[in-house]
Amino acid sequence: MTDKHPIVRDLVIANRILANESIVDAYGHVSIRHPDKPNRFFLARSLAPELVDQGDIIEFTLEGEPVNDERPPYLERFIHGAIYEARPDVNAVVHNHSPSVLPFGVIKQKLKPLHHMCGCMGHEVPTWDSQTKFGDTSLLVSSIDMGRDLAKLLGDRPAALMRGHGCVIASKDIREAVYIAYYLELAAKLQMQAMPLGSVKYLTEGEIDKVINRTGPYTLDRA
Ligand SMILES: [Zn+2]
């Protein structure tokens, strides 16, 4: 067991839910900003999310340095630190490679919500291409510079895709981050099912704004 902040329990539950829903497999991760130290965040050591327990959680600086912990961290921890650095409003970040979102990272057609539960992902989901600034890489976000470039593309949105890799979700709340990650995967699946059938009527921007504004504790408590 750890003597870290009680909120790490929520982070462990988030890991387990995302694994149970196949949003993460052996890879992908979820973090939470330290509630008392805004320039720190909690993230598991390098471990499959399904196996994460409270003792596996490490505290990190926003530059991705572990605080007093020698265990191997996730290589892509820079995604989390860079987003917390750029977005004071964000308290939880999910990075995953869920299968239905991946095609939308490599085609021109944008991923857009067509179903009300998926409106939480925003008007449309932009794609970050590591190739643009960093050329040929392993596609992994392996430095704080890459993390900052991704955070810049994300801007003030809740989600972004990563070309040839996966996606990232940012939220004020750990429960909402898990919720968006789940519905982003469903949105992509639904869009792939709808597109071959004909012209798709997506939610309007006004509808999406209304969905986002009413997604609060009432919705999240139930989920
Ligand atoms: Zn990844």
PDB file of all heavy atoms in Angstrom, residues 38-67:
ATOM      1  N   PRO A  38      -0.602  21.337  -7.686  1.00  0.00           N
ATOM      2  CA  PRO A  38      -1.014  21.386  -9.093  1.00  0.00           C
ATOM      3  C   PRO A  38       0.114  21.106 -10.082  1.00  0.00           C
ATOM      4  O   PRO A  38      -0.149  20.807 -11.249  1.00  0.00           O
ATOM      5  CB  PRO A  38      -1.524  22.818  -9.264  1.00  0.00           C
ATOM      6  CG  PRO A  38      -1.614  23.403  -7.911  1.00  0.00           C
ATOM      7  CD  PRO A  38      -0.819  22.581  -6.958  1.00  0.00           C
ATOM      8  N   ASN A  39       1.373  21.201  -9.628  1.00  0.00           N
ATOM      9  CA  ASN A  39       2.489  20.934 -10.541  1.00  0.00           C
ATOM     10  C   ASN A  39       2.988  19.488 -10.432  1.00  0.00           C
ATOM     11  O   ASN A  39       4.119  19.176 -10.823  1.00  0.00           O
ATOM     12  CB  ASN A  39       3.637  21.924 -10.303  1.00  0.00           C
ATOM     13  CG  ASN A  39       4.150  21.868  -8.881  1.00  0.00           C
ATOM     14  OD1 ASN A  39       3.511  21.242  -8.017  1.00  0.00           O
ATOM     15  ND2 ASN A  39       5.281  22.505  -8.618  1.00  0.00           N
ATOM     16  N   ARG A  40       2.152  18.620  -9.913  1.00  0.00           N
ATOM     17  CA  ARG A  40       2.459  17.186  -9.839  1.00  0.00           C
ATOM     18  C   ARG A  40       1.252  16.395 -10.318  1.00  0.00           C
ATOM     19  O   ARG A  40       0.118  16.878 -10.258  1.00  0.00           O
ATOM     20  CB  ARG A  40       2.758  16.769  -8.391  1.00  0.00           C
ATOM     21  CG  ARG A  40       3.970  17.464  -7.772  1.00  0.00           C
ATOM     22  CD  ARG A  40       5.265  16.779  -8.185  1.00  0.00           C
ATOM     23  NE  ARG A  40       6.439  17.521  -7.746  1.00  0.00           N
ATOM     24  CZ  ARG A  40       6.993  17.416  -6.535  1.00  0.00           C
ATOM     25  NH1 ARG A  40       6.454  16.612  -5.625  1.00  0.00           N
ATOM     26  NH2 ARG A  40       8.066  18.108  -6.219  1.00  0.00           N
ATOM     27  N   PHE A  41       1.525  15.179 -10.801  1.00  0.00           N
ATOM     28  CA  PHE A  41       0.397  14.301 -11.150  1.00  0.00           C
ATOM     29  C   PHE A  41       0.728  12.867 -10.768  1.00  0.00           C
ATOM     30  O   PHE A  41       1.901  12.512 -10.551  1.00  0.00           O
ATOM     31  CB  PHE A  41       0.040  14.419 -12.640  1.00  0.00           C
ATOM     32  CG  PHE A  41       1.080  13.927 -13.616  1.00  0.00           C
ATOM     33  CD1 PHE A  41       1.021  12.644 -14.132  1.00  0.00           C
ATOM     34  CD2 PHE A  41       2.124  14.745 -14.035  1.00  0.00           C
ATOM     35  CE1 PHE A  41       1.966  12.175 -15.040  1.00  0.00           C
ATOM     36  CE2 PHE A  41       3.077  14.294 -14.942  1.00  0.00           C
ATOM     37  CZ  PHE A  41       2.993  13.008 -15.443  1.00  0.00           C
ATOM     38  N   PHE A  42      -0.313  12.047 -10.672  1.00  0.00           N
ATOM     39  CA  PHE A  42      -0.179  10.633 -10.335  1.00  0.00           C
ATOM     40  C   PHE A  42      -0.438   9.783 -11.571  1.00  0.00           C
ATOM     41  O   PHE A  42      -1.401  10.026 -12.326  1.00  0.00           O
ATOM     42  CB  PHE A  42      -1.196  10.230  -9.261  1.00  0.00           C
ATOM     43  CG  PHE A  42      -0.967  10.827  -7.911  1.00  0.00           C
ATOM     44  CD1 PHE A  42      -1.934  11.633  -7.318  1.00  0.00           C
ATOM     45  CD2 PHE A  42       0.210  10.574  -7.208  1.00  0.00           C
ATOM     46  CE1 PHE A  42      -1.744  12.173  -6.057  1.00  0.00           C
ATOM     47  CE2 PHE A  42       0.412  11.115  -5.948  1.00  0.00           C
ATOM     48  CZ  PHE A  42      -0.568  11.917  -5.370  1.00  0.00           C
ATOM     49  N   LEU A  43       0.404   8.760 -11.752  1.00  0.00           N
ATOM     50  CA  LEU A  43       0.297   7.845 -12.896  1.00  0.00           C
ATOM     51  C   LEU A  43       0.922   6.533 -12.438  1.00  0.00           C
ATOM     52  O   LEU A  43       1.870   6.532 -11.646  1.00  0.00           O
ATOM     53  CB  LEU A  43       1.072   8.442 -14.077  1.00  0.00           C
ATOM     54  CG  LEU A  43       1.165   7.653 -15.382  1.00  0.00           C
ATOM     55  CD1 LEU A  43      -0.190   7.616 -16.096  1.00  0.00           C
ATOM     56  CD2 LEU A  43       2.196   8.316 -16.322  1.00  0.00           C
ATOM     57  N   ALA A  44       0.412   5.422 -12.945  1.00  0.00           N
ATOM     58  CA  ALA A  44       0.964   4.131 -12.537  1.00  0.00           C
ATOM     59  C   ALA A  44       2.394   3.944 -13.060  1.00  0.00           C
ATOM     60  O   ALA A  44       2.792   4.564 -14.034  1.00  0.00           O
ATOM     61  CB  ALA A  44       0.082   3.002 -13.060  1.00  0.00           C
ATOM     62  N   ARG A  45       3.131   3.052 -12.411  1.00  0.00           N
ATOM     63  CA  ARG A  45       4.397   2.589 -12.985  1.00  0.00           C
ATOM     64  C   ARG A  45       4.074   1.814 -14.248  1.00  0.00           C
ATOM     65  O   ARG A  45       2.906   1.538 -14.524  1.00  0.00           O
ATOM     66  CB  ARG A  45       5.141   1.708 -11.975  1.00  0.00           C
ATOM     67  CG  ARG A  45       4.479   0.367 -11.699  1.00  0.00           C
ATOM     68  CD  ARG A  45       5.218  -0.392 -10.611  1.00  0.00           C
ATOM     69  NE  ARG A  45       4.509  -1.614 -10.234  1.00  0.00           N
ATOM     70  CZ  ARG A  45       4.757  -2.820 -10.758  1.00  0.00           C
ATOM     71  NH1 ARG A  45       5.666  -2.963 -11.684  1.00  0.00           N
ATOM     72  NH2 ARG A  45       4.064  -3.869 -10.345  1.00  0.00           N
ATOM     73  N   SER A  46       5.086   1.463 -15.036  1.00  0.00           N
ATOM     74  CA  SER A  46       4.854   0.758 -16.297  1.00  0.00           C
ATOM     75  C   SER A  46       4.238  -0.612 -16.020  1.00  0.00           C
ATOM     76  O   SER A  46       4.925  -1.541 -15.588  1.00  0.00           O
ATOM     77  CB  SER A  46       6.177   0.608 -17.046  1.00  0.00           C
ATOM     78  OG  SER A  46       5.937  -0.037 -18.269  1.00  0.00           O
ATOM     79  N   LEU A  47       2.930  -0.684 -16.228  1.00  0.00           N
ATOM     80  CA  LEU A  47       2.172  -1.883 -15.877  1.00  0.00           C
ATOM     81  C   LEU A  47       0.870  -1.876 -16.678  1.00  0.00           C
ATOM     82  O   LEU A  47       0.308  -0.813 -16.944  1.00  0.00           O
ATOM     83  CB  LEU A  47       1.850  -1.831 -14.381  1.00  0.00           C
ATOM     84  CG  LEU A  47       1.221  -3.062 -13.729  1.00  0.00           C
ATOM     85  CD1 LEU A  47       2.206  -4.233 -13.711  1.00  0.00           C
ATOM     86  CD2 LEU A  47       0.781  -2.744 -12.297  1.00  0.00           C
ATOM     87  N   ALA A  48       0.380  -3.066 -17.060  1.00  0.00           N
ATOM     88  CA  ALA A  48      -0.920  -3.141 -17.738  1.00  0.00           C
ATOM     89  C   ALA A  48      -1.991  -2.564 -16.814  1.00  0.00           C
ATOM     90  O   ALA A  48      -2.045  -2.921 -15.629  1.00  0.00           O
ATOM     91  CB  ALA A  48      -1.247  -4.575 -18.105  1.00  0.00           C
ATOM     92  N   PRO A  49      -2.866  -1.681 -17.316  1.00  0.00           N
ATOM     93  CA  PRO A  49      -3.854  -1.002 -16.457  1.00  0.00           C
ATOM     94  C   PRO A  49      -4.737  -1.952 -15.650  1.00  0.00           C
ATOM     95  O   PRO A  49      -5.135  -1.630 -14.532  1.00  0.00           O
ATOM     96  CB  PRO A  49      -4.686  -0.192 -17.457  1.00  0.00           C
ATOM     97  CG  PRO A  49      -3.753   0.063 -18.589  1.00  0.00           C
ATOM     98  CD  PRO A  49      -2.882  -1.154 -18.691  1.00  0.00           C
ATOM     99  N   GLU A  50      -5.022  -3.116 -16.211  1.00  0.00           N
ATOM    100  CA  GLU A  50      -5.874  -4.090 -15.518  1.00  0.00           C
ATOM    101  C   GLU A  50      -5.260  -4.543 -14.184  1.00  0.00           C
ATOM    102  O   GLU A  50      -5.962  -4.985 -13.283  1.00  0.00           O
ATOM    103  CB  GLU A  50      -6.064  -5.297 -16.443  1.00  0.00           C
ATOM    104  CG  GLU A  50      -7.104  -6.270 -15.981  1.00  0.00           C
ATOM    105  CD  GLU A  50      -7.386  -7.338 -17.031  1.00  0.00           C
ATOM    106  OE1 GLU A  50      -6.713  -7.347 -18.078  1.00  0.00           O
ATOM    107  OE2 GLU A  50      -8.272  -8.163 -16.785  1.00  0.00           O
ATOM    108  N   LEU A  51      -3.942  -4.437 -14.088  1.00  0.00           N
ATOM    109  CA  LEU A  51      -3.224  -4.940 -12.909  1.00  0.00           C
ATOM    110  C   LEU A  51      -2.873  -3.842 -11.904  1.00  0.00           C
ATOM    111  O   LEU A  51      -2.308  -4.131 -10.850  1.00  0.00           O
ATOM    112  CB  LEU A  51      -1.929  -5.640 -13.357  1.00  0.00           C
ATOM    113  CG  LEU A  51      -2.107  -6.785 -14.363  1.00  0.00           C
ATOM    114  CD1 LEU A  51      -0.743  -7.316 -14.794  1.00  0.00           C
ATOM    115  CD2 LEU A  51      -2.957  -7.900 -13.767  1.00  0.00           C
ATOM    116  N   VAL A  52      -3.203  -2.587 -12.236  1.00  0.00           N
ATOM    117  CA  VAL A  52      -2.758  -1.467 -11.395  1.00  0.00           C
ATOM    118  C   VAL A  52      -3.462  -1.474 -10.042  1.00  0.00           C
ATOM    119  O   VAL A  52      -4.681  -1.612  -9.956  1.00  0.00           O
ATOM    120  CB  VAL A  52      -2.998  -0.123 -12.126  1.00  0.00           C
ATOM    121  CG1 VAL A  52      -2.845   1.058 -11.182  1.00  0.00           C
ATOM    122  CG2 VAL A  52      -2.037   0.009 -13.302  1.00  0.00           C
ATOM    123  N   ASP A  53      -2.676  -1.327  -8.981  1.00  0.00           N
ATOM    124  CA  ASP A  53      -3.199  -1.199  -7.621  1.00  0.00           C
ATOM    125  C   ASP A  53      -2.609   0.071  -6.994  1.00  0.00           C
ATOM    126  O   ASP A  53      -1.724   0.705  -7.589  1.00  0.00           O
ATOM    127  CB  ASP A  53      -2.837  -2.448  -6.810  1.00  0.00           C
ATOM    128  CG  ASP A  53      -3.935  -2.765  -5.783  1.00  0.00           C
ATOM    129  OD1 ASP A  53      -4.643  -1.827  -5.361  1.00  0.00           O
ATOM    130  OD2 ASP A  53      -4.056  -3.942  -5.400  1.00  0.00           O
ATOM    131  N   GLN A  54      -3.051   0.411  -5.794  1.00  0.00           N
ATOM    132  CA  GLN A  54      -2.628   1.692  -5.200  1.00  0.00           C
ATOM    133  C   GLN A  54      -1.111   1.795  -5.041  1.00  0.00           C
ATOM    134  O   GLN A  54      -0.540   2.857  -5.211  1.00  0.00           O
ATOM    135  CB  GLN A  54      -3.323   1.898  -3.855  1.00  0.00           C
ATOM    136  CG  GLN A  54      -4.830   2.046  -4.032  1.00  0.00           C
ATOM    137  CD  GLN A  54      -5.540   2.555  -2.790  1.00  0.00           C
ATOM    138  OE1 GLN A  54      -5.047   3.428  -2.103  1.00  0.00           O
ATOM    139  NE2 GLN A  54      -6.686   2.004  -2.501  1.00  0.00           N
ATOM    140  N   GLY A  55      -0.470   0.675  -4.731  1.00  0.00           N
ATOM    141  CA  GLY A  55       0.979   0.690  -4.546  1.00  0.00           C
ATOM    142  C   GLY A  55       1.754   0.907  -5.835  1.00  0.00           C
ATOM    143  O   GLY A  55       2.966   1.149  -5.805  1.00  0.00           O
ATOM    144  N   ASP A  56       1.078   0.825  -6.974  1.00  0.00           N
ATOM    145  CA  ASP A  56       1.748   0.998  -8.270  1.00  0.00           C
ATOM    146  C   ASP A  56       1.757   2.450  -8.741  1.00  0.00           C
ATOM    147  O   ASP A  56       2.333   2.763  -9.779  1.00  0.00           O
ATOM    148  CB  ASP A  56       1.047   0.142  -9.344  1.00  0.00           C
ATOM    149  CG  ASP A  56       1.081  -1.328  -8.996  1.00  0.00           C
ATOM    150  OD1 ASP A  56       2.182  -1.824  -8.715  1.00  0.00           O
ATOM    151  OD2 ASP A  56       0.014  -1.975  -8.980  1.00  0.00           O
ATOM    152  N   ILE A  57       1.085   3.330  -7.981  1.00  0.00           N
ATOM    153  CA  ILE A  57       0.951   4.717  -8.429  1.00  0.00           C
ATOM    154  C   ILE A  57       2.190   5.520  -8.018  1.00  0.00           C
ATOM    155  O   ILE A  57       2.635   5.474  -6.878  1.00  0.00           O
ATOM    156  CB  ILE A  57      -0.326   5.360  -7.830  1.00  0.00           C
ATOM    157  CG1 ILE A  57      -1.566   4.540  -8.189  1.00  0.00           C
ATOM    158  CG2 ILE A  57      -0.455   6.802  -8.297  1.00  0.00           C
ATOM    159  CD1 ILE A  57      -1.874   4.386  -9.655  1.00  0.00           C
ATOM    160  N   ILE A  58       2.717   6.266  -8.990  1.00  0.00           N
ATOM    161  CA  ILE A  58       3.905   7.107  -8.782  1.00  0.00           C
ATOM    162  C   ILE A  58       3.502   8.573  -8.950  1.00  0.00           C
ATOM    163  O   ILE A  58       2.664   8.889  -9.790  1.00  0.00           O
ATOM    164  CB  ILE A  58       5.010   6.754  -9.822  1.00  0.00           C
ATOM    165  CG1 ILE A  58       5.451   5.295  -9.673  1.00  0.00           C
ATOM    166  CG2 ILE A  58       6.203   7.694  -9.703  1.00  0.00           C
ATOM    167  CD1 ILE A  58       6.487   4.857 -10.717  1.00  0.00           C
ATOM    168  N   GLU A  59       4.135   9.443  -8.150  1.00  0.00           N
ATOM    169  CA  GLU A  59       3.936  10.886  -8.309  1.00  0.00           C
ATOM    170  C   GLU A  59       4.986  11.411  -9.292  1.00  0.00           C
ATOM    171  O   GLU A  59       6.152  11.000  -9.232  1.00  0.00           O
ATOM    172  CB  GLU A  59       4.094  11.558  -6.941  1.00  0.00           C
ATOM    173  CG  GLU A  59       3.765  13.042  -6.928  1.00  0.00           C
ATOM    174  CD  GLU A  59       3.873  13.637  -5.508  1.00  0.00           C
ATOM    175  OE1 GLU A  59       3.497  12.942  -4.534  1.00  0.00           O
ATOM    176  OE2 GLU A  59       4.353  14.770  -5.399  1.00  0.00           O
ATOM    177  N   PHE A  60       4.589  12.289 -10.207  1.00  0.00           N
ATOM    178  CA  PHE A  60       5.499  12.842 -11.214  1.00  0.00           C
ATOM    179  C   PHE A  60       5.475  14.359 -11.199  1.00  0.00           C
ATOM    180  O   PHE A  60       4.441  14.977 -10.889  1.00  0.00           O
ATOM    181  CB  PHE A  60       5.064  12.401 -12.628  1.00  0.00           C
ATOM    182  CG  PHE A  60       5.306  10.948 -12.920  1.00  0.00           C
ATOM    183  CD1 PHE A  60       4.329  10.007 -12.633  1.00  0.00           C
ATOM    184  CD2 PHE A  60       6.500  10.520 -13.472  1.00  0.00           C
ATOM    185  CE1 PHE A  60       4.539   8.658 -12.896  1.00  0.00           C
ATOM    186  CE2 PHE A  60       6.718   9.179 -13.744  1.00  0.00           C
ATOM    187  CZ  PHE A  60       5.737   8.241 -13.450  1.00  0.00           C
ATOM    188  N   THR A  61       6.585  14.968 -11.626  1.00  0.00           N
ATOM    189  CA  THR A  61       6.585  16.399 -11.933  1.00  0.00           C
ATOM    190  C   THR A  61       5.963  16.569 -13.324  1.00  0.00           C
ATOM    191  O   THR A  61       5.843  15.587 -14.076  1.00  0.00           O
ATOM    192  CB  THR A  61       8.015  16.969 -11.969  1.00  0.00           C
ATOM    193  OG1 THR A  61       8.699  16.412 -13.098  1.00  0.00           O
ATOM    194  CG2 THR A  61       8.782  16.641 -10.690  1.00  0.00           C
ATOM    195  N   LEU A  62       5.612  17.802 -13.675  1.00  0.00           N
ATOM    196  CA  LEU A  62       4.995  18.022 -14.989  1.00  0.00           C
ATOM    197  C   LEU A  62       5.979  17.741 -16.131  1.00  0.00           C
ATOM    198  O   LEU A  62       5.568  17.506 -17.262  1.00  0.00           O
ATOM    199  CB  LEU A  62       4.458  19.453 -15.100  1.00  0.00           C
ATOM    200  CG  LEU A  62       3.333  19.821 -14.120  1.00  0.00           C
ATOM    201  CD1 LEU A  62       2.712  21.163 -14.492  1.00  0.00           C
ATOM    202  CD2 LEU A  62       2.251  18.749 -14.042  1.00  0.00           C
ATOM    203  N   GLU A  63       7.279  17.729 -15.836  1.00  0.00           N
ATOM    204  CA  GLU A  63       8.279  17.393 -16.864  1.00  0.00           C
ATOM    205  C   GLU A  63       8.417  15.877 -17.021  1.00  0.00           C
ATOM    206  O   GLU A  63       9.224  15.395 -17.820  1.00  0.00           O
ATOM    207  CB  GLU A  63       9.651  17.991 -16.520  1.00  0.00           C
ATOM    208  CG  GLU A  63       9.728  19.511 -16.649  1.00  0.00           C
ATOM    209  CD  GLU A  63       9.023  20.239 -15.513  1.00  0.00           C
ATOM    210  OE1 GLU A  63       9.027  19.718 -14.371  1.00  0.00           O
ATOM    211  OE2 GLU A  63       8.434  21.308 -15.761  1.00  0.00           O
ATOM    212  N   GLY A  64       7.658  15.105 -16.220  1.00  0.00           N
ATOM    213  CA  GLY A  64       7.670  13.650 -16.357  1.00  0.00           C
ATOM    214  C   GLY A  64       8.715  12.950 -15.518  1.00  0.00           C
ATOM    215  O   GLY A  64       9.006  11.767 -15.729  1.00  0.00           O
ATOM    216  N   GLU A  65       9.282  13.652 -14.519  1.00  0.00           N
ATOM    217  CA  GLU A  65      10.269  13.024 -13.630  1.00  0.00           C
ATOM    218  C   GLU A  65       9.555  12.384 -12.440  1.00  0.00           C
ATOM    219  O   GLU A  65       8.782  13.060 -11.742  1.00  0.00           O
ATOM    220  CB  GLU A  65      11.255  14.073 -13.105  1.00  0.00           C
ATOM    221  CG  GLU A  65      12.200  14.632 -14.160  1.00  0.00           C
ATOM    222  CD  GLU A  65      13.029  13.556 -14.838  1.00  0.00           C
ATOM    223  OE1 GLU A  65      13.511  12.635 -14.144  1.00  0.00           O
ATOM    224  OE2 GLU A  65      13.167  13.608 -16.074  1.00  0.00           O
ATOM    225  N   PRO A  66       9.827  11.096 -12.166  1.00  0.00           N
ATOM    226  CA  PRO A  66       9.225  10.460 -10.990  1.00  0.00           C
ATOM    227  C   PRO A  66       9.768  11.108  -9.709  1.00  0.00           C
ATOM    228  O   PRO A  66      10.940  11.484  -9.652  1.00  0.00           O
ATOM    229  CB  PRO A  66       9.699   8.999 -11.084  1.00  0.00           C
ATOM    230  CG  PRO A  66      10.272   8.838 -12.457  1.00  0.00           C
ATOM    231  CD  PRO A  66      10.698  10.188 -12.923  1.00  0.00           C
ATOM    232  N   VAL A  67       8.903  11.241  -8.691  1.00  0.00           N
ATOM    233  CA  VAL A  67       9.316  11.834  -7.414  1.00  0.00           C
ATOM    234  C   VAL A  67       9.624  10.694  -6.444  1.00  0.00           C
ATOM    235  O   VAL A  67       8.727   9.961  -6.026  1.00  0.00           O
ATOM    236  CB  VAL A  67       8.187  12.741  -6.854  1.00  0.00           C
ATOM    237  CG1 VAL A  67       8.586  13.317  -5.503  1.00  0.00           C
ATOM    238  CG2 VAL A  67       7.857  13.860  -7.835  1.00  0.00           C
TER     239      VAL A  67
END
